[in-house]
Amino acid sequence: MQLFRALLPTPLGDMLALASDDGLCALEFTTVRGPKHGAERLSRLNERLRRWFPPHEMVDGDAPPIARARQWLEAYFAGAGAEVGDLPLDMRGAAFEKRVWAALLTIPPGETTSYGAIAKALGSPDASRAVGAANGANPVALIVPCHRVIGSSGSLTGYGGGLDRKTWLIDHERRWRAAPPASLF
């Protein structure tokens, strides 16, 4: 199996994009400040790739899912929307992780929810820690919006890209979501 690899520039720093023939399988910031540095995140990503995509060969270059992710990121940072739409995702993980990742996709831009609320929605009200672990294992940052999950007290807790980016992303979404629609005249 080949996994295609490209760096995608964003206003918050470069992101590493990986894609299989079936879809985008990873999108991670390459540099992170704070307790979870970029090297640690990328090491964790490599472990996930070994587990869920064996055996694979990395090929530098574009693939249709990476090109589509690039378009998505450009639209997102321009404030033009963030629908996953026709962006194919190839997110492999444990069954519970996949359920959490699907729940993340239902959180509207500019809104937040808690780990406990997701656990309750999944029918496992005592599984907020497991939701947190699955949220942290999300391999496709931004597009699968793990940054929209906060602590039950409303505090910003953990984000693989760093809390400074999480704050920026939530504020960015609230700004463009609150903006009035463009006038035709």
Side-chain angles (χ1 to χ4, degrees), residues 47 81 153 181:
E47 289 174 25
S153 67

Side-chain angles (χ1 to χ4, degrees), residues 139-177:
V140 181
L142 299 185
I143 294 169
V144 178
C146 53
H147 62 277
R148 296 180 190 153
V149 183
I150 61 174
S152 59
S153 67
S155 62
L156 295 185
T157 58
Y159 179 60
L163 287 179
D164 55 334
R165 285 187 177 122
K166 183 172 188 166
T167 301
W168 191 96
L169 293 166
I170 290 170
D171 289 346
H172 171 68
E173 291 178 5
R174 287 180 176 156
R175 274 191 306 275
W176 63 259
R177 183 156 184 187

